[in-house]
Structure formats: structure tokens, C-alpha cells
DNA sequence: TCTGGGGTCCTGCCGCAC
DNA sequence: TCTGGTGCGGCAGGACCC
């Protein structure tokens, strides 16, 4: 049987800030956007003290400010979090070389081949992260990624949770369907309408019902996930498939020239990224979000892959020209997909 | 009233080729 | 010549993740 660890840093961005600004320890702290809660932006991470006031990730900064006006608001400092993240990942790779990176603050480790008790490995990881980065994490141990991820979330912060196949009925089935990776707000509502709120209720559905309701691929996934089945391997190496840049205006814009100027700037940044990472792309997509939050895209496929600034800019403007800009624009973005290594 | 930015993957539709 | 099935690429939108 496989043994998989899921390591999840506790309130990562907030914890990094509290580490380098010790005077913020124990205080409600909200990291997000430009750090100005009167500007547009959302919460990336709230400290546990801020969460007590109902502040959570993805919440508009303005809402967070209303809930917790005395919180300290700070901008996101990706450079610093990446630096700390690298320290953490180095520790993990040293302990278990089969590692899957999941964003800046999470990872899976496959420790099936390591001849040491799993909980001892987990404690060693916690100790090293505490020693080298001064931070705490929560760890889940299970026979697969799906269950390990659920487990790491069960006792936060600084938790260590082991889930065996025999525990599924007792410890996984009572949980909300939202705890399953891949079940978001839309699917949660759809399931609720079917009278399904827990993973156990989901597991009582027939494969036919789920496939009929959610399609072949997702239906199969839900059927297996609700039973704790997940054979997916760790992805230890991956190549990007697209590169993109987008920006939300502080106030909605109706001036076409400003939109065009912004698009030109974003296109330049994306092509710079392509040059830096030595990639070429095949298709260009422009995204426009209007003031009513309606979002549309226009795409163009090129004859050959390219990283030419000129070619990508022309394609992007071709896409922009196909929009009817009758409403004010809130966001503009550009993406280059179909990437290949140069 | 509010709802970021960087990604991935899936689905449905359309036109086209065979 | 007409019709239908099928497969595929391109496109648009949507759901989800951190």
C-alpha cells in the first residue's frame, strides 16, 4: 500500500509576515492585494486571529475591513513567500525525494519506500520546518493524495492526522462534500439539490446517477472520491501549458485607448515571461470582464508557435477588435497557450 | 455592494473533412 | 448526388485549485 503525506503550511502568508514582524504576532492580520482595504482586491490569507472575525481567503478586502477594521492589512509579497517556500521544499525533498509541488504552501510526499515509521517522518518534517523557517505546518498521512489532503485539513494548525482505509466510513463520510478536492460552490449546490450534503451520502449514489448528472469524467471522479479511491500518482515534474497576465482596473473603464494601452502592456509582460522561460506559444486569448462581472474571451490560433512580441501583440489586438465594448470594462487579460519549450 | 491573479481541465458547439 | 455518422481542431465558457 502507498503511503502519502500532504504537508500544508498554516496561514502561510500571514505566518511569514508575523515571523519577520514579531510585533504582529497574536494580532489579526490580513494579507491581500495592495494592502489597502479601500482598494479593489481580495484576501489571500488571514491570520487565525483575523479568521475569528469571519475573514477568509478570496473575500473582498473591503468586506474584510468591515468585519475586522482593527486588523493590520499588508500587501502580498510573493518574493518573500517564495523564498521561504523554497526553504520548506528543500527540507521536504531531502526527507522524501518523491515530491509533488502544489503551489507555494503545499506539497505531497510519497514515503512508501522509506523504511521508517510514517509518524516519525512527519514529526521530523515539522521539527525541521520549525527550526529552519520558524513556521508550523499541518500534515496528513493516508494511502493516497485525496485522503492525505483531507487529513491535513482535519487538525489545523500544527496538526498531524493519519487516515487508513478502515477510517473512511467513520471519519470521511460525515464530512461535507466541499472537503473533496474538485467540489466547489457550484457542485455543492447541485448536490444539495439532490439531498446530498456529506461525502457518505455521495457514496450512496449509484455510478449511473452521478454520470448522468455530472458527465462521464466528473461523475466517475465523484463516485471514486466519495469512497476514498484515488490512484493518481505524484506529479514530480510538469511543464507549463499557458502563460497569462490580467489586471482589474481600480475603477471601471470605458475609454478604448486605455484598454488598448493596458492590453499592450500585459502582452509585453507575457512575452517577456515566454522569453525568460524559453517558451513559444500557439494561441492567444484576450479576456474582458465587464462592470457587471460578465466575462468573455476571444481567441486566435497562430500558424506556428511563436514568442515574437510583434506577432503576439497583433493577435491580441485582433481579438480585442472582435469585442463589442458597449459596457464599462473591469478587467482585461491576455493568455498565450499551447506552449512548447524553445 | 462586493467579487485578484495565475493556472488547469472539461464540456458543448461549430465547421470541416472523410 | 444526397444524407448521415464520426472524428477533430478551434473556440467560448465555466468550474475549480492555491
Amino acid at each position: 500500500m502507498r503511503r502519502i503525506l500532504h504537508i500544508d503550511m498554516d496561514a502561510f502568508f500571514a505566518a511569514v509576515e508575523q515571523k519577520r514582524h514579531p510585533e504582529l504576532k497574536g494580532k489579526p492580520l490580513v494579507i491581500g492585494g495592495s494592502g489597502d482595504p479601500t482598494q479593489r482586491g481580495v484576501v489571500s490569507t488571514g491570520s487565525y486571529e483575523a479568521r475569528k472575525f469571519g475573514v477568509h481567503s478570496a473575500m473582498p478586502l473591503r468586506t474584510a475591513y468591515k468585519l475586522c477594521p482593527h486588523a493590520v492589512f499588508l500587501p502580498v509579497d510573493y518574493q518573500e513567500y517564495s523564498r521561504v517556500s523554497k526553504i520548506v521544499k528543500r527540507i521536504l525533498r531531502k526527507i522524501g525525494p518523491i515530491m509533488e509541488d502544489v503551489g507555494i504552501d503545499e506539497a505531497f510526499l510519497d514515503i512508501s519506500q522509506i523504511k521508517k515509521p510514517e509518524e516519525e517522518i512527519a514529526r521530523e518534517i515539522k521539527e525541521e520546518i520549525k527550526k529552519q523557517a520558524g513556521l508550523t505546518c499541518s500534515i496528513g498521512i493516508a494511502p493516497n493524495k485525496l485522503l492525505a489532503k483531507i487529513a491535513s485539513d482535519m487538525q489545523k494548525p500544527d496538526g498531524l492526522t493519519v487516515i487508513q482505509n478502515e477510517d473512511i466510513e467513520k471519519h470521511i463520510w460525515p464530512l461535507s462534500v466541499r472537503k473533496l478536492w474538485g467540489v466547489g460552490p457550484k457542485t455543492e449546490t447541485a448536490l444539495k439539490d439532490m439531498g446530498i450534503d456529506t461525502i457518505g451520502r455521495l457514496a450512496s449514489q449509484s455510478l449511473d446517477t452521478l454520470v448522468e448528472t455530472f458527465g462521464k469524467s466528473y461523475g466517475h471522479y465523484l463516485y471514486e472520491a466519495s469512497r476514498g479511491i484515488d490512484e493518481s500518482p505524484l506529479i514530480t515534474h510538469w511543464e507549463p501549458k499557458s502563460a497569462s497576465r490580467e489586471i482589474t482596473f481600480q475603477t471601471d473603464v470605458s475609454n478604448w485607448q486605455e484598454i488598448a494601452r493596458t492590453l499592450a502592456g500585459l502582452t509585453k509582460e507575457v512575452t517577456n515571461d515566454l522569453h525568460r522561460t524559453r517558451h513559444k506559444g500557439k494561441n492567444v486569448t484576450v479576456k474582458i470582464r465587464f462592470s457587471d462581472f460578465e466575462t468573455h474571451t476571444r481567441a486566435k490560433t497562430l500558424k506556428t508557435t511563436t514568442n515574437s512580441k510583434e506577432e503576439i501583440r497583433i493577435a491580441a489586438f485582433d481579438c480585442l477588435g472582435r469585442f463589442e465594448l458597449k459596457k464599462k470594462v473591469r478587467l482585461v487579460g491576455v493568455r498565450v497557450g499551447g506552449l512548447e519549450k524553445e
Side-chain angles (χ1 to χ4, degrees), chain A residues 91 112 123 170 214 229 259 304 317 332:
Chain A
I91 294 167
S112 310
R123 289 211 182 81
K170 196 170 163 208
F214 297 101
I229 300 168
I259 296 162
T304 53
F317 273 81
V332 55

Side-chain angles (χ1 to χ4, degrees), chain A residues 279-323:
Chain A
H279 282 98
K280 287 180 164 191
K282 187 99 194 291
N283 46 64
V284 177
T285 307
V286 169
K287 173 163 141 186
I288 295 280
R289 176 170 290 152
F290 293 103
S291 47
D292 58 4
F293 224 71
E294 215 173 274
T295 308
H296 294 275
T297 58
R298 292 290 178 272
K300 181 167 178 140
T301 297
L302 306 169
K303 287 197 181 70
T304 53
T305 58
T306 182
N307 58 9
S308 146
K309 279 189 177 142
E310 193 58 14
E311 254 182 284
I312 292 171
R313 195 180 54 81
I314 290 169
F317 273 81
D318 179 280
C319 294
L320 180 64
R322 282 150 56 204
F323 279 101

Side-chain angles (χ1 to χ4, degrees), chain A residues 106-136:
Chain A
E106 283 181 41
F108 290 104
L109 276 192
D110 188 331
I111 55 160
S112 310
Q113 303 304 321
I114 302 177
K115 302 267 173 281
K116 210 191 261 187
E118 54 201 29
E119 290 183 55
E120 195 181 315
I121 297 174
R123 289 211 182 81
E124 198 181 319
I125 289 170
K126 280 169 159 291
E127 265 169 44
E128 275 307 302
I129 291 178
K130 184 85 200 168
K131 198 163 90 189
Q132 293 189 40
L135 301 172
T136 65

Side-chain angles (χ1 to χ4, degrees), chain A residues 198-265:
Chain A
T198 63
I199 299 174
R201 290 283 293 166
L202 182 59
S204 73
Q205 302 298 304
S206 70
L207 179 59
D208 282 353
T209 306
L210 293 176
V211 167
E212 207 174 292
T213 317
F214 297 101
K216 200 173 165 186
S217 159
Y218 193 44
H220 262 99
Y221 171 75
L222 289 176
Y223 182 82
E224 297 207 324
S226 65
R227 287 164 172 71
I229 300 168
D230 169 32
E231 298 294 330
S232 64
L234 269 65
I235 313 286
T236 53
H237 178 80
W238 119 136
E239 283 293 327
K241 295 177 174 62
S242 68
S244 66
R245 278 282 200 283
E246 60 183 58
I247 189 155
T248 298
F249 295 110
Q250 272 309 317
T251 48
D252 299 346
V253 168
S254 50
N255 179 334
W256 189 88
Q257 286 185 339
E258 186 172 353
I259 296 162
R261 217 183 308 128
T262 307
L263 179 63

